[in-house]
Amino acid sequence: FDEFLRQWLRFDRVLGTVRDRRLYPHFNPELAQAMTEETRLLAQHLVWEEKNFLDIYRARYSFLNTDLALLYGVPPPEQEFGRVDFPAGFLRAGLPGHASFLTLTSKPGDTSPTARGLFIREQLLCQHVPDPPPGVDSSLPPVSAAKPQTNRERLGEHAANAVCAGCHKLIDPIGFGLEQFDAIGRFREKLKLEFLATRGQERRAPKNHPPVELDFDTQGSIAGLPDADFTNPVELGEKLAASRQCQECIVRQYFRYAFGRKETAADRELIGRLTESFGRSGFRLKELMIQLAASDLFRTTGR
């Protein structure tokens, strides 16, 4: 199960994360390791304690060490990676609020609404998003002191470009709802833009530009899902857990891991049966494991 989790939620990318140390001086490999451990422990708790596995998206508690508690702004647990219940009104819940997810879907110096939306589409909803067409410039307009912009404003150019709009309208609005969480998963009330000098500029002692603070528009949505507007990870987690696509995607992801391949049209009936039994069990993942292992297809593959 641990190996399935590592592959599905891409722990390798979290552990290999690099951050701009001028912006994130407290980020280090130990913190990255703690991020993956938090997610692993929540998933383990849900599986082996016979809980509803959909709570991986909406749990209002987690398993934190001192460093993660400090990052999240909550009191540390009595023992490392002990359970911490989030206070009422806390805007963090489940995987959408985990630093592991928020970090692996960010850039070295900034968040990436596009990467966050893409991960949710592909890993949590099992929907394929095509690669950008060859030759398309996917870079965003630079941010300057003369023209400070949020990522929503910068990505507006992609939404207005007919070549880019089809895919970006599917993924960017998901990421916009998570923009109050920075590139290491830390909550922020406003976007603080700092204009850091490059090495060459530092030698020339440029005039310092004071930081600029901008308000967030955290209205997000998941096109294709009913009633899918949200403004924070708590609301997003509830939308995902209630989604049939998301529930079936858990089955698909475990199927892919168990068989070492993606599903085909011939597997549709089995995946449908597994999804139905997964729901009837109260979404106990251990029951899904048993049902899949007992299936004729699994027993006849020799795996």
Side-chain angles (χ1 to χ4, degrees), residues 137-155:
D137 182 7
S138 59
S139 60
L140 298 180
V143 174
S144 66
K147 190 179 180 181
Q149 291 180 304
T150 64
N151 282 330
R152 182 188 286 269
E153 293 167 333
R154 297 168 73 201
L155 282 162

Side-chain angles (χ1 to χ4, degrees), residues 30 42 64 78 97 118 188 200 239-240 264 283 298:
E30 291 73 25
L42 175 62
L64 309 178
E78 293 183 1
L118 181 65
R188 52 195 179 164
K239 305 294 183 186
L240 290 172
T264 67
F283 299 103
F298 188 84

Side-chain angles (χ1 to χ4, degrees), residues 143-150 153 188 190-196 208-216:
V143 174
S144 66
K147 190 179 180 181
Q149 291 180 304
T150 64
E153 293 167 333
R188 52 195 179 164
K190 293 179 178 290
L191 174 62
K192 184 177 181 180
L193 296 175
E194 298 186 62
F195 303 99
L196 303 175
N208 291 325
H209 292 288
V212 174
E213 290 190 345
L214 302 176
D215 291 324
F216 287 108

Side-chain angles (χ1 to χ4, degrees), residues 24-41:
Y24 305 100
H26 302 298
F27 183 81
N28 55 41
E30 291 73 25
L31 183 58
Q33 180 68 50
M35 292 174 178
T36 61
E37 184 67 0
E38 174 195 10
T39 303
R40 187 187 75 85
L41 288 174

Side-chain angles (χ1 to χ4, degrees), residues 1-232:
F1 175 71
D2 278 355
E3 183 59 30
F4 160 68
L5 201 66
R6 281 193 291 268
Q7 292 184 24
W8 175 36
L9 301 181
R10 297 306 307 270
F11 286 176
D12 58 313
R13 286 168 51 187
V14 184
L15 298 175
T17 292
V18 175
R19 286 290 172 266
D20 186 329
R21 293 197 62 81
R22 296 176 298 175
L23 297 173
Y24 305 100
H26 302 298
F27 183 81
N28 55 41
E30 291 73 25
L31 183 58
Q33 180 68 50
M35 292 174 178
T36 61
E37 184 67 0
E38 174 195 10
T39 303
R40 187 187 75 85
L41 288 174
L42 175 62
Q44 288 271 5
H45 167 73
L46 296 175
V47 172
W48 308 122
E49 297 296 325
E50 303 281 1
K51 305 292 184 182
N52 184 329
F53 193 72
L54 298 181
D55 284 348
I56 197 170
Y57 301 121
R58 61 191 178 193
R60 302 303 305 275
Y61 60 90
S62 196
F63 298 87
L64 309 178
N65 69 351
T66 301
D67 290 339
L68 281 175
L70 180 63
L71 183 73
Y72 289 3
V74 296
E78 293 183 1
Q79 60 183 23
E80 293 292 82
F81 291 106
R83 173 168 168 159
V84 174
D85 294 305
F86 296 147
F90 202 56
L91 296 182
R92 193 185 299 269
L95 183 65
H98 279 202
S100 60
F101 159 70
L102 296 165
T103 297
L104 77 88
T105 53
S106 294
K107 302 173 185 177
D110 195 6
T111 60
S112 175
T114 299
R116 289 176 175 178
L118 181 65
F119 185 92
I120 288 172
R121 284 282 178 198
E122 295 194 333
Q123 299 301 107
L124 307 187
L125 294 170
C126 292
Q127 298 171 355
H128 175 65
V129 178
D131 293 330
V136 170
D137 182 7
S138 59
S139 60
L140 298 180
V143 174
S144 66
K147 190 179 180 181
Q149 291 180 304
T150 64
N151 282 330
R152 182 188 286 269
E153 293 167 333
R154 297 168 73 201
L155 282 162
E157 293 192 12
H158 287 171
N161 185 326
V163 176
C164 306
C167 291
H168 277 275
K169 287 181 178 179
L170 288 174
I171 54 182
D172 292 352
I174 302 174
F176 292 149
L178 304 170
E179 273 290 86
Q180 280 194 288
F181 295 83
D182 71 11
I184 60 172
R186 182 174 48 198
F187 180 80
R188 52 195 179 164
E189 288 286 352
K190 293 179 178 290
L191 174 62
K192 184 177 181 180
L193 296 175
E194 298 186 62
F195 303 99
L196 303 175
T198 64
R199 290 180 179 178
Q201 290 173 330
E202 287 170 349
R203 287 196 295 270
R204 295 194 296 270
K207 179 181 178 181
N208 291 325
H209 292 288
V212 174
E213 290 190 345
L214 302 176
D215 291 324
F216 287 108
D217 176 358
T218 60
Q219 183 62 53
S221 64
I222 312 173
L225 297 189
D227 186 28
D229 293 339
F230 66 95
T231 60
N232 56 59

